[in-house]
Amino acid sequence: MKGGYIAWQFWYAPQWLVKLAWNIQRANFQMFSVPIMIRTLFAHWHRDALSYTGGTITGYMTTFALNQISRTIGFIICTATLMAWVVAAILLVLLSMSAIALFFLWPFMPLVLATVGISLLTGSL
């Protein structure tokens, strides 16, 4: 690593933090099974579908109604999971940006704290 501390603080470490945040986002994407949730958004819940076998019109209507209820439950669960993923992704972006900003500001903290301390001691603050 060239450049010593300054290069590490302001170049190498922030790059590492960005890569870390990106990998956590990718893991979050997989943890919530986003591709599967999108692909099965209108599928039956746990493939719980009744087959339309020979019977009466009432039997067909009952089977249709139960299949639609199963699809509705699946849609609600998948939508809630996708919304939870979006909220988690947004929070992760905000936390990552805050961590990177604080990482850049950290070396200046002693100077700021010394200035505030001197101001408090002299009574000018």
Side-chain angles (χ1 to χ4, degrees), residues 53-76:
T53 57
T56 63
I57 301 246
T58 307
Y60 282 124
M61 296 304 282
T62 303
T63 303
F64 178 76
L66 291 174
N67 284 339
Q68 293 309 313
I69 289 170
S70 177
R71 285 183 189 271
T72 303
I73 291 170
F75 178 77
I76 291 170

Side-chain angles (χ1 to χ4, degrees), residues 6-7 18 37 42 57 82 84 86 111-112 124:
I6 301 296
V18 168
M37 289 295 153
F42 296 106
I57 301 246
L82 289 171
V86 167
L111 181 63
V112 170
S124 61

Side-chain angles (χ1 to χ4, degrees), residues 48-108:
D48 188 18
L50 300 174
S51 61
Y52 293 96
T53 57
T56 63
I57 301 246
T58 307
Y60 282 124
M61 296 304 282
T62 303
T63 303
F64 178 76
L66 291 174
N67 284 339
Q68 293 309 313
I69 289 170
S70 177
R71 285 183 189 271
T72 303
I73 291 170
F75 178 77
I76 291 170
I77 298 296
C78 287
T79 303
T81 303
L82 289 171
M83 286 188 173
W85 166 67
V86 167
V87 168
I90 290 171
L91 286 174
L92 189 59
V93 165
L94 293 175
L95 286 172
S96 299
M97 289 171 53
S98 299
I100 291 169
L102 287 173
F103 195 81
F104 275 116
L105 296 175
W106 188 254
F108 304 108

